Amino acid sequence: MSNCAQCSQAFENPQSLLDFLERIAPVFNGKKISIPPPTLCTGCRLQRRLAHRNEKTLFERKCDKTGEMMISIHAPNDGYKVVHKDEWWSDNWDPLDFGRDFNFDRPFFEQFEELQKQVPRMSLLQEKNENSDYASNVSYLKNCYLLFSADHDKDCCYGVWIERSRDCFDNMLIDECERTYETIFSDKIYNSSFIYSCSQCRDSAFLRDCRGCSDCLMCWGLRNKQYHIANQPYSKEEYLKKLEEYPLSSYKNMMSCKEQFNGMIKDSIQPEMRKKGRVVDSTGDFLHDTENCINCFELSFSKDCTNTTGFQMKDGYDCTYANGEFAYETCECFPVPSHSGFDLNSYTGSNLWYCDLCMNNCQNMFGCVGFKKASYCILNKQYTQEEYEELVPKIIEHMTKTKEWGEFFPIKISPIGYNISEANAFFSLDKKGIEKNGWKWQEEIDIEKDHNFWEGEIPDDIKDVDESICEYVLKCEVSGKAYKIISQEFVFLKQIGLPIPRRHPDQRHKDRFALRNPRQLWERQCEKCKKDIQTTYSPERTERIYCEECYMAEVY
């Protein structure tokens, strides 16, 4: 048992972790170099990784190469060189120009931070998109706006983790959906709104944990049902007549339905875990087709992982937003460099250690930033294979003395302000707390130039609103922040029959985020059979939590 070096909480490094570290330990000149066990607890390690990831805040700033204005995940005047993504991918610059010798009189992280500030960074992490400039950590998008961590989508706006979907607005963690609104952790949903943890449902609203349902309103736990309201069956004629009492095109009626539904859910039973597909020998939440995945969250189609979030991952330990196999302590590596550790924003390759923004199959790199298809470099300086394999063990020995080897990049050297990083969503701190820890605070900047504010009340029913509302700026009823209804959004709301939102997109994201439980497991007992379970519902919460067997016996 050890005490966390950050929060002082007692924690234990399980044997499975020690075995994994033995397997992934790097080899130089035929000699394996051990990786020491973590000095931080699982939660603090997650916080440290997430502090290096800006999930959804965009800024307007100049490209440090061309001087042209651009959209970026990096704030202006933040001390880093940032260039347009197309410029970054071009051959107009060489990362080797920033190479330097390793200084054995200084800590590694200090030298790495200096290198990070000199090597150009991408304005946005994007690949192969069309008309989707306001997005990051994305690929293969068309006509999308303010999507993050999304792939293969068309005509989608305001969402995080949106996969293979089209015509979807204000969603989180969805896959293969169409015409959905305010939907979370669901797949194969069509023409539906306010859906949570559902699969293969259509023409419905306010559902929770339903499968194969259509034409249902305010229901939970249904399986292959149609024409239900509040879990009660109706004939088609009765259902359609009853729907007239719930016109969701009215903001007041929609909020009334939401209040009724939340009351229903509060009194309903809850499963120990939110999952889909075949989940075997796994613990965590929001799991989809996983096997032997322990303490994992928002993980799909994966096997043999621990403390991992991602998609199609195998043999990952402490990997956050990852895809691929065999990696340790990485963040936003999609796919991860295999047999690698302590990497950021680095896609494909192998044997990368402490690298950032190294793409296109880099191999055998240590402490490098901004490469495409390179090998045998240290701090962006080129070496022969023999020189590399001789020098890296010496650097690791030095890092062992400075207590850096085996630790992920410290929060204090993150290019991202803590308050706009994803860490703040899970481990929230105010400005005073952030600066007390020596971490960076980033002032948010409103890039909205038009302040032609809407005067008076927004019409209650979408039927009474025309597209002229897109010419005005609205004010969020919660945060007071200015926001606009874009034309694409207005057309969608008209088609699906939902009212104009009264909250800023960021506030709507916060509202969705608040519906998720913490990425933490507690020991509890099933409310019905008293079986021991692990769940994201803490013991002091009042919800009735059932184990898998008891829950499935209760659903319809």
Side-chain angles (χ1 to χ4, degrees), residues 316-339:
Y317 211 113
D318 282 2
C319 293
T320 306
Y321 302 105
N323 158 257
E325 62 179 44
F326 205 29
Y328 177 60
E329 277 266 43
T330 68
C331 182
E332 188 53 45
C333 294
F334 217 91
V336 294
S338 65
H339 206 127

Side-chain angles (χ1 to χ4, degrees), residues 514-526:
L515 296 175
R516 304 195 303 187
N517 289 347
R519 285 180 179 168
Q520 183 177 349
L521 294 175
W522 283 271
E523 302 288 341
R524 286 186 64 160
Q525 287 186 332
C526 170

Side-chain angles (χ1 to χ4, degrees), residues 182-184 186 189 192-198 204-207:
E182 288 286 4
T183 293
I184 302 173
S186 299
I189 307 297
S192 300
S193 306
F194 305 104
I195 309 297
Y196 186 95
S197 189
C198 296
S204 299
F206 295 106
L207 301 185

Side-chain angles (χ1 to χ4, degrees), residues 520-537:
Q520 183 177 349
L521 294 175
W522 283 271
E523 302 288 341
R524 286 186 64 160
Q525 287 186 332
C526 170
E527 185 82 10
K528 187 174 183 180
C529 72
K530 306 306 178 184
K531 171 185 173 181
D532 290 334
I533 58 175
Q534 286 186 313
T535 179
T536 54
Y537 292 91

Side-chain angles (χ1 to χ4, degrees), residues 91-121:
D91 295 325
N92 296 336
W93 66 284
D94 189 346
L96 289 172
D97 291 342
F98 305 93
R100 67 221 34 218
D101 294 325
F102 188 84
N103 187 340
F104 287 91
D105 293 325
R106 301 175 61 201
F108 166 77
F109 288 133
E110 187 178 286
Q111 298 177 64
F112 186 82
E113 182 183 20
E114 290 178 357
L115 181 64
Q116 276 186 312
K117 290 184 175 180
Q118 291 299 312
V119 180
R121 305 189 68 78

Side-chain angles (χ1 to χ4, degrees), residues 465-488:
V465 186
D466 61 38
E467 197 165 359
S468 66
I469 196 170
C470 298
E471 301 171 9
Y472 295 89
V473 174
L474 310 181
K475 186 172 287 189
C476 176
E477 65 180 6
V478 176
S479 66
K481 290 176 65 174
Y483 68 102
K484 293 190 73 172
I485 303 298
I486 63 173
S487 178
Q488 190 177 0

Side-chain angles (χ1 to χ4, degrees), residues 149-204:
S149 300
D151 306 279
H152 301 281
D153 300 313
K154 182 180 179 183
D155 299 316
C156 295
C157 301
Y158 310 121
V160 175
W161 277 70
I162 312 300
E163 299 291 329
R164 299 177 290 186
S165 298
R166 61 184 300 165
D167 294 305
C168 295
F169 285 68
D170 283 297
N171 302 286
M172 175 188 292
L173 287 164
I174 65 170
D175 186 14
E176 294 187 88
C177 293
E178 185 174 352
R179 287 171 58 88
T180 66
Y181 182 76
E182 288 286 4
T183 293
I184 302 173
F185 188 56
S186 299
D187 67 296
K188 299 179 176 66
I189 307 297
Y190 176 77
N191 195 40
S192 300
S193 306
F194 305 104
I195 309 297
Y196 186 95
S197 189
C198 296
S199 181
Q200 296 180 320
C201 296
R202 60 182 296 133
D203 302 317
S204 299

